[in-house]
Amino acid sequence: MKLRYVVFYSVEGGVGKTTLSTAFAVEKRRVIVVDADWTRPEIAAYFNAPKRTADWVRILLDGQPPQYWPHRAEPDVYVVPNYTAVELYHRKGGEVLDLLADALFEFLVALPQLAADLRIAVDTVVVDMTNAPPLSLVEKLAHELGALMVFMIDRRTLTNVSEMRAEAIRNYQQYASLIVANMTEKGDERLPSARIVNVMLRMAKRPARLETYKDVYRMLTSVKENAKAVKYLVSRVVERI
């Protein structure tokens, strides 16, 4: 089974990676969503993946996927959480970053065969990356997996960037297939810095609580420009299938 990969990544947290990757998965369908954010995991909660669901670290350790893997949130939307990765990171911090990065890449490489073995009818893997992942991992995702790399920034990046932060952004941006600016306002497209941006997401009124993936999707796409942007991102992946 051949799968296409789309990776949402960023330099820092809070720029909307999880929101956009969730909305993308709901819009696209026929997807496996892999939660690869071991610092601030939200995918499992949004898709209500139970704790008994095997995560990608455990699947690798077990050698073969248990029968209850993966979590099926919709008839054509599946979720692989990262409970073990989160636990490892919060216990050992930076000393396990390379280990987690290698394990994630190994899992993603093995995923097409795993999906075929389980007869899961999907064509796309959506990866919600941790913020500032190792650049070596980003390079492998872009070059070896051939993933569509969606690099996310926010309005702060367009309006006020320190030199140190700008260098970090350049380091990650070089692997981007598309650059998405989130939380922008009307007129931001005329900023000189906006020339690097492929897609802009407008501010949406955020409810007090977002409890499910359906809430996330409705919130983001409640703005007309955002709904068009999500459809555009899906079209870019469909072109590759």
Side-chain angles (χ1 to χ4, degrees), residues 119-188:
R119 297 179 182 176
I120 296 173
V122 295
D123 54 37
T124 304
V125 179
V126 179
V127 184
D128 180 32
M129 278 300 317
T130 194
N131 55 291
L135 279 170
S136 57
L137 172 61
V138 175
E139 182 178 17
K140 285 163 61 173
L141 293 172
H143 295 162
E144 295 184 35
L145 276 191
L148 183 80
M149 304 294 292
V150 181
F151 180 55
M152 292 200 64
I153 58 177
D154 61 14
R155 189 170 190 267
R156 293 170 298 174
T157 305
L158 297 180
T159 57
N160 185 23
V161 182
S162 68
E163 186 55 38
M164 183 180 297
R165 189 157 167 259
E167 182 178 0
I169 290 170
R170 285 193 294 269
N171 288 337
Y172 283 92
Q173 179 187 319
Q174 65 180 312
Y175 301 105
S177 309
L178 294 165
I179 298 176
V180 176
N182 192 20
M183 295 177 280
T184 61
E185 298 177 359
K186 190 173 182 179
D188 285 348

Side-chain angles (χ1 to χ4, degrees), residues 26 64 80 126 133 143 159 191 197 213:
V26 174
Q64 61 182 9
V80 181
V126 179
H143 295 162
T159 57
L191 292 169
V197 176
Y213 61 93

Side-chain angles (χ1 to χ4, degrees), residues 1-5 32 34 65 69 104-125 145:
M1 176 183 292
K2 187 171 179 61
L3 298 179
R4 296 296 183 184
Y5 299 83
I32 296 177
V34 178
W69 176 83
L104 175 64
F105 186 75
E106 184 180 345
F107 172 74
L108 293 175
V109 169
L111 193 48
Q113 187 59 55
L114 294 176
D117 291 345
L118 291 174
R119 297 179 182 176
I120 296 173
V122 295
D123 54 37
T124 304
V125 179
L145 276 191

Side-chain angles (χ1 to χ4, degrees), residues 10 86-88 94 161 176 181 201 223:
S10 67
V86 172
E87 181 184 346
L88 282 171
V161 182
L201 299 178
V223 177

Side-chain angles (χ1 to χ4, degrees), residues 84-95:
T84 303
V86 172
E87 181 184 346
L88 282 171
Y89 179 77
H90 285 286
R91 276 199 292 114
K92 299 190 175 182
E95 65 183 83

